[in-house]
Amino acid sequence: MIYKKNKLTLDRFYISSIIKKYKTPIYCYSYQKIKENIQNLKNHFKKINPLICYAVKANSNLGILKEIRKNNLGADVVSLGELMKALKAGIQPKKIVFSGVGKITEEIEFAINKNILLINAESESEILEIEKIAKKKKKIVNIGIRLNPNTDAKTLRQISTGKKENKFGVDQKIFSHLVNIVKKSKNLNLKCLSVHIGSQILNNKPYVNMLKAVSKVIKKCNYNFEYIDLGGGMGIDYIHNNSKLNLKKYSQEIEKFLKVNNCKIIFEPGRSIIGNSGILITKVIYIKKGFKKDFVILDAAMNDLMRPALYGATHKIIPLKKINSKSKKVYEFVGPICESTDTFLTTKNYQKLHEKDYLVICDVGAYGMSLASNYNLRPKPLEILIKNSKILTLNKRQKISELM
Ligand code: LLP
């Protein structure tokens, strides 16, 4: 996104031309950015040549999934719905991995019928359930077991998944026990060790610790895994101060790991592919005086973008039209929902805004629309994609009548 003559543009489009056509709030994605992000991952991990399975939960729009498929990525899914949508987008079953702690029978059956690459199991009970279904179907099913490496991802508590107190995966001891169970099974083929320690990771140290823990476990169980699925979690720069994960270093650490462990690497990135490709365009409804600050009340709310309310996450908010006003304001940007957590950001020194001005909430491509809800019976926003100088409608705005 750049300002041209003080007007905000995305991939050469003036955002003002978008709001002439559509009503806000609008999720708008940049195809160019998605492509760039995918290429960036491919380049950094060239030596590893991983299978990149896009984490569908980050953004499950069908149009987006189709673009991702065209870039030859696979998918990481966590529900029947996500699996069906990944298939609908044309993603090959042999590039799909199924994660999650609570897969139900129907989901496992469907995954087995579709011959997906891997079901990554997270408990003994789940393994036994997969085995039971595989036996009934007279099939041999490829599975992975998710390790809980007890690694602190040094990210937000709410999105950490790799510590022993978290519900995800199994600890080293149970892992070895499960390997022995699967080895004995005629209907299960143990192909993978999977791990995912959390999301929005900006520091390389947790990944180094994770790889150490994985190496230790592999040695202990003395088993040749065809795949090591390292999950996702690569963090992006929401603050716009260049604080992002050092992918080069991460790649070097994995290269070292591969010298000792001969296997194929799988990644499950979500945010690092789609996060900074999306913006939420919103309009100022009212501006109202508050205590020591003014409230800028937007037509986007926590139901449209949940991350600030749910995790205290920060998303930059920038104006469509930059002005060089001398008066610098203290603003709190809020939505119209009847909750005090329906607030996006408080900023000092903001340019003076007016009612009916338009703003852009940045970097909302990941876990923006996918976490959106109909709370307060608000329809979900429209989604569009800018691709090759064209605006493509990805999803119509919900109609109020659909909510009745
Ligand atoms: N693989 C597994 C097993 C996961 O649980 C996740 C994310 C990913 C991959 C993708 O992680 P990513 O590369 O996107 O960091 N709603 C939160 C994030 C929750 C992430 C859940 N799991 C947020 O808005 O920050």
Side-chain angles (χ1 to χ4, degrees):
M1 263 185 314
I2 46 169
Y3 284 98
K4 278 190 197 158
K5 292 188 186 149
N6 290 332
K7 286 183 182 156
L8 194 60
T9 63
L10 176 68
D11 296 352
R12 297 198 304 270
F13 260 94
Y14 281 102
I15 311 270
S16 52
S17 70
I18 297 172
I19 54 174
K20 269 185 202 142
K21 235 174 133 182
Y22 306 102
K23 268 196 184 159
T24 52
I26 309 162
Y27 270 102
C28 173
Y29 309 103
S30 150
Y31 173 73
Q32 199 175 305
K33 202 80 207 166
I34 298 171
K35 215 174 152 78
E36 238 174 71
N37 291 338
I38 293 175
Q39 207 46 53
N40 185 40
L41 286 182
K42 284 185 179 168
N43 291 344
H44 275 100
F45 296 111
K46 211 186 213 147
K47 288 197 185 144
I48 295 166
N49 189 25
L51 170 62
I52 302 180
C53 295
Y54 166 70
V56 173
K57 64 171 84 64
N59 188 317
S60 51
N61 184 288
L62 186 64
I64 298 278
L65 292 180
K66 282 183 181 167
E67 298 302 345
I68 281 170
R69 185 253 301 154
K70 284 182 212 156
N71 282 276
N72 292 321
L73 264 52
D76 160 51
V77 301
V78 290
S79 69
L80 180 61
E82 285 191 1
L83 174 52
M84 288 170 73
K85 212 157 180 192
L87 292 169
K88 190 170 177 183
I91 296 176
Q92 293 164 34
K94 278 290 158 233
K95 285 186 178 175
I96 298 181
V97 297
F98 197 158
S99 313
V101 292
K103 300 173 203 82
I104 59 171
T105 310
E106 192 190 355
E107 294 178 313
I108 297 169
E109 277 176 348
F110 188 83
I112 292 178
N113 288 345
K114 293 293 169 188
N115 289 316
I116 66 167
L117 178 64
L118 287 167
I119 301 178
N120 285 334
E122 303 215 17
S123 62
E124 179 164 350
S125 304
E126 187 189 350
I127 290 176
L128 297 180
E129 179 71 4
I130 301 170
E131 190 188 33
K132 198 167 98 190
I133 300 168
K135 209 170 183 174
K136 206 170 78 189
K137 291 184 183 291
K138 297 193 175 65
K139 279 201 165 185
I140 298 171
V141 175
N142 295 332
I143 69 159
I145 305 175
R146 179 162 171 182
L147 172 74
N148 181 321
N150 193 22
T151 304
D152 186 350
K154 305 243 180 280
T155 180
L156 294 170
R157 180 185 52 81
Q158 302 96 318
I159 52 176
S160 291
T161 50
K163 290 214 64 188
K164 62 174 186 271
E165 56 267 32
N166 300 129
K167 68 179 174 184
F168 303 97
V170 295
D171 71 21
Q172 301 183 18
K173 237 173 145 183
I174 301 178
F175 191 94
S176 306
H177 166 66
L178 296 184
V179 170
N180 288 328
I181 292 185
V182 181
K183 269 194 207 161
K184 284 184 207 136
S185 167
K186 287 192 188 99
N187 296 90
L188 299 177
N189 187 6
L190 180 58
K191 286 216 159 191
C192 176
L193 180 158
S194 82
V195 65
H196 170 80
I197 57 172
S199 198
Q200 185 51 14
I201 297 171
L202 293 172
N203 185 325
N204 284 78
K205 195 81 187 96
Y207 281 127
V208 174
N209 293 339
M210 172 186 91
L211 287 168
K212 269 190 202 149
V214 172
S215 281
K216 212 170 126 192
V217 172
I218 297 177
K219 218 169 162 188
K220 202 171 151 218
C221 10
N222 190 24
Y223 188 86
N224 276 336
F225 291 96
E226 187 176 336
Y227 297 99
I228 300 293
D229 179 346
L230 295 175
M234 294 101 152
I236 63 166
D237 179 13
Y238 283 108
I239 322 280
H240 298 182
N241 67 351
N242 275 327
S243 56
K244 52 186 171 201
L245 185 75
N246 187 335
L247 293 178
K248 194 172 161 201
K249 251 197 193 157
Y250 187 24
S251 175
Q252 286 165 347
E253 290 299 331
I254 299 171
E255 285 159 41
K256 269 196 245 165
F257 170 90
L258 288 177
K259 279 190 186 140
V260 187
N261 304 288
N262 179 23
C263 53
K264 187 156 174 66
I265 295 293
I266 298 176
F267 284 129
E268 302 170 352
R271 192 190 311 268
S272 50
I273 288 178
I274 194 78
N276 65 1
S277 79
I279 55 172
L280 182 58
I281 310 170
T282 176
K283 186 178 173 178
V284 177
I285 311 174
Y286 300 120
I287 298 180
K288 118 172 175 179
K289 278 235 152 309
F291 180 64
K292 290 189 180 169
K293 64 191 167 191
D294 290 352
F295 291 105
V296 179
I297 303 167
L298 307 174
D299 66 356
M302 66 189 279
N303 76 297
D304 305 305
L305 175 65
M306 193 70 151
R307 301 195 70 254
L310 206 51
Y311 316 113
T314 302
H315 288 266
K316 276 201 141 190
I317 300 183
I318 58 175
L320 231 59
K321 219 194 227 165
K322 240 202 256 180
I323 53 162
N324 292 321
S325 71
K326 280 208 181 95
S327 68
K328 297 289 180 197
K329 309 286 287 182
V330 182
Y331 283 137
E332 180 171 347
F333 296 93
V334 301
I337 280 185
C338 311
E339 297 242 12
S340 292
T341 53
D342 185 25
T343 174
F344 291 116
L345 190 72
T346 303
T347 55
K348 287 180 197 156
N349 298 327
Y350 211 85
Q351 74 176 44
K352 188 170 166 45
L353 294 171
H354 302 91
E355 294 177 353
K356 298 190 176 59
D357 276 353
Y358 288 91
L359 300 166
V360 156
I361 309 181
C362 301
D363 309 310
V364 296
Y367 310 106
M369 187 61 169
S370 62
L371 273 169
S373 78
N374 289 121
Y375 187 40
N376 279 201
L377 276 196
R378 289 167 52 88
K380 288 190 199 171
L382 167 81
E383 288 179 286
I384 58 173
L385 175 73
I386 299 187
K387 184 181 178 187
N388 306 334
S389 308
K390 281 200 188 96
I391 301 177
L392 310 175
T393 308
L394 292 178
N395 223 352
K396 285 188 189 137
R397 184 191 313 286
Q398 270 182 331
K399 290 195 189 100
I400 295 271
S401 58
E402 291 171 52
L403 307 180
M404 290 301 115

